[in-house]
Amino acid sequence: MRRQTEINYEMKLLSSLEKVFQDETPVYRPECLVLSALWDETVSFQAAYTGDCFMRERLEVRVVSELEKWVRVRTVEQVPVGRATNVIVDDNYLKTTPGMYPDLLRDLPEDHKVIVCSHQWRSLWVDVEVTEEIPAGDYEIEIQLLKEGEIVCSAKMKLHVVGVTLPKQEIMHTEWMHADCLADYYHVEVFSEEHWQILENFFAEYVKRGGNMMLVPLFTSPLDTAVGLERTTTQLVDVEVKDGQYIFGFDRLKRWIDLCRKYGIEYFEMSHLFSQWGAKYAPKVVATVDGKEEKIFGWHTPAVGEYTNFLHSFLPSLIEKLKEWGIAEHTYFHISDEPREEHLESYRAAKESLGDLLSGFHTFDALSSYEFYRHGLIDKPIPGNNEIEEFLEHGLTDMWTYYCTGQFYEVSNRFMSMPSLRNRIYGVQLYKYDIIGILHWGYNFYNTQFSIEHINPYEVTDAGNAFPAGDPFIVYPGADGHPEESIRMMVHYEALTDLRACKLLESLTSKEHVMELIEGDLAEPLTFRRFPKSDMYLLTLRNRINREIERLTAKA
């Protein structure tokens, strides 16, 4: 039996852009630890820690600061990664192999104790919610680890608060909320009171981190579903077939809209009217027919035919309600997700079957081919950030963009295997190109690819080895029905606050002035494919922007 000698503990401060792997000693980078913030944003940093204990220990975490009431400390938990990347990779990945990766952020237990594993590095994620209650000035935040009431290691972070409020987020931002995945994971009946409460919990967190547009499942979303298979029915619209006529009920849809508005959702996207990858079929629609519930549309139904008659009955009724509820001007419609060029004719047929039913509304879809826009089939194309150059070269303005599993080479994304800078640089890119909307397909997709099986996202992070880990979801389903956030969620939120800060400085100076700060010291212009790979670049840039805002508003 080994005799325990004195244990050595160590703590290092790190920026929010570091990822701490258990078997790698993190590098202390003082150049990345200048932290400043404006009012109405949450800023984050990390405190990594280790010890040479024989087994493991539980130490108490303590925050010492006059900002303590605004500070939240979470542990960064390692999660299993089976598929880390796609087949092709560039030189800007942290790792490309399976293993345990830092991602999940979990609140401290009631006793505020964390586990120290022998000779392994872990980290604490520290958020400071900077509100107007905090006077402008300099503050110190000390993070301590205590054993039996005695401090065994600690570190002090300094924060400079600028007494100016970040402007409201302008960019439209949607992450697809999969209502069926929540019902499936928590084993609750779809749209039961338990389900509604869980949805409300997820909606609140969604808005808190910059989501301001919500996918509305009019009918079960025809997304990532194998042909011939079905996802759990999540249909907000009641349908009855009576004497050959369609009758609609909108009570559940109204409840969904009201819940969105309660938490500040401003924009609404109606779920896709046709199947994914080509718009060849109708989505699953369940109706009451002669007193019995049955599936009246689905994979067995062509996109054009009786389903056309259904839409010509349904859409005018829906639009009437959207106008009655005062959201018509903020509503967008999807036709079919991710059509490719070989689907041009089937997409055209589906779109033309609608006639002028959607006149006055924006239609928008994630797609890669400019041909859909050139043929006038969509007025708001959403190209991937690896394909957006063609659209920009044609002079398109008011552009949207998205990324998912297919955007893995050279461009921004948020896979667990990527450095966090590759996630956060997105905000500066969006600013440069005046992007008006961003989309991601997986806020909480807890299925395998094609929705063949349900998964536990704490155990499977890659949709059953289908996509690089992290692509299918950005929050985890907490045990209490509330979402647990990820490093990727927080860093993506930071990208959005960077964008808001750029917009604020532009309002005080000019676009040219802000772009000089962004590109002035770069050897080549910033693009979606070319951007600095240094954490210091982005952290220093944000501090420069904050200082400029402080200087200019002090003169006012």
Side-chain angles (χ1 to χ4, degrees), residues 166-177:
L166 267 183
K168 178 183 175 182
Q169 179 180 307
E170 296 176 5
I171 194 169
M172 288 176 275
H173 175 208
T174 179
E175 307 265 343
W176 286 347
M177 183 82 65

Side-chain angles (χ1 to χ4, degrees), residues 273-275 278-282 301-308 311 346 349-350 353:
L273 297 177
F274 301 92
S275 63
K280 296 179 180 180
Y281 306 98
T301 316
V304 180
E306 179 54 31
Y307 182 61
T308 306
L311 289 178
S346 58
S353 74

Side-chain angles (χ1 to χ4, degrees), residues 78-83 98-101 416 457-462 469:
Q78 309 281 321
V79 298
V81 168
R83 180 170 186 161
M100 300 297 290
Y101 284 59
M416 292 182 195
Y458 293 98
E459 299 175 352
V460 180
T461 58
D462 52 16

Side-chain angles (χ1 to χ4, degrees), residues 432-465:
K432 175 175 180 176
Y433 290 100
D434 296 314
I435 301 299
I436 66 166
I438 51 174
L439 175 151
H440 193 277
W441 75 280
Y443 186 71
N444 64 317
F445 183 74
Y446 305 144
N447 291 337
T448 58
Q449 185 184 23
F450 303 133
S451 298
I452 294 171
E453 298 176 304
H454 305 314
I455 57 99
N456 179 343
Y458 293 98
E459 299 175 352
V460 180
T461 58
D462 52 16
N465 213 255

Side-chain angles (χ1 to χ4, degrees), residues 36-38 136-138 160-164 504-505 508 543-556:
S36 64
L38 303 176
D138 296 307
H160 180 68
V161 175
V162 179
V164 181
L504 174 55
L505 182 55
L508 298 171
N543 284 321
R544 290 175 67 190
I545 289 170
N546 287 353
R547 285 197 300 269
E548 283 281 273
I549 291 170
E550 187 171 40
R551 177 179 66 83
L552 293 165
T553 53
K555 293 180 178 180

Side-chain angles (χ1 to χ4, degrees), residues 43 256 390 425 434 491:
V43 292
W256 181 281
E390 181 182 9
I425 197 70
D434 296 314
V491 173

